[in-house]
Amino acid sequence: PDPNRATMWERWTRCMMGLMCSPYFCIKAELLANETVAGDRFDPGNIFRWERVVSNLPGDVDYDPCRPRMWRVTPEGAMAAITVVYVDDLRPAGGSKSGCWMAMHQT
């Protein structure tokens, strides 16, 4: 063996839950990325723009079980597009089929 030549050893290991890295960092990064992609909610050209949040809760006078419990409303009065994230699954939601398509293709 040559004494001037060093040997490099590498080993791949996974951190146990709670010791160093955790899924929290991945989820946090995904949520920050989703917020960045959604952009400015006041931009008229943004499919994710919204003006106010409407609640539709059981017991309300105008409760409609066909509507979501909470949703965002555009200045025009339509349901605003959103992307719903559950772990690694991303789904569009919105007031129309074209709005959902635009939401998924903007992201």
Side-chain angles (χ1 to χ4, degrees), residues 1-9:
D2 185 5
N4 296 328
R5 187 172 166 189
T7 302
M8 184 188 329
W9 295 88

Side-chain angles (χ1 to χ4, degrees), residues 25-105:
F25 295 116
C26 295
I27 300 298
K28 183 176 180 179
E30 183 177 10
L31 291 173
L32 287 172
N34 197 19
E35 189 176 313
T36 302
V37 168
D40 181 16
R41 74 179 187 105
F42 298 107
D43 180 13
N46 187 357
I47 188 64
F48 297 109
R49 75 184 182 285
W50 58 278
E51 182 177 70
R52 60 190 172 89
V53 176
V54 175
S55 63
N56 179 37
L57 303 174
D60 287 349
V61 177
D62 55 350
Y63 173 67
D64 182 2
C66 297
R67 304 286 293 189
R69 297 269 172 104
M70 305 284 284
W71 74 89
R72 297 173 179 172
V73 178
T74 64
E76 295 81 26
M79 184 184 296
I82 62 168
T83 51
V84 181
V85 179
Y86 180 74
V87 185
D88 63 345
D89 192 18
L90 185 68
R91 300 289 173 114
S96 67
K97 186 176 178 179
S98 63
C100 289
W101 187 91
M102 289 173 60
M104 284 310 292
H105 287 83

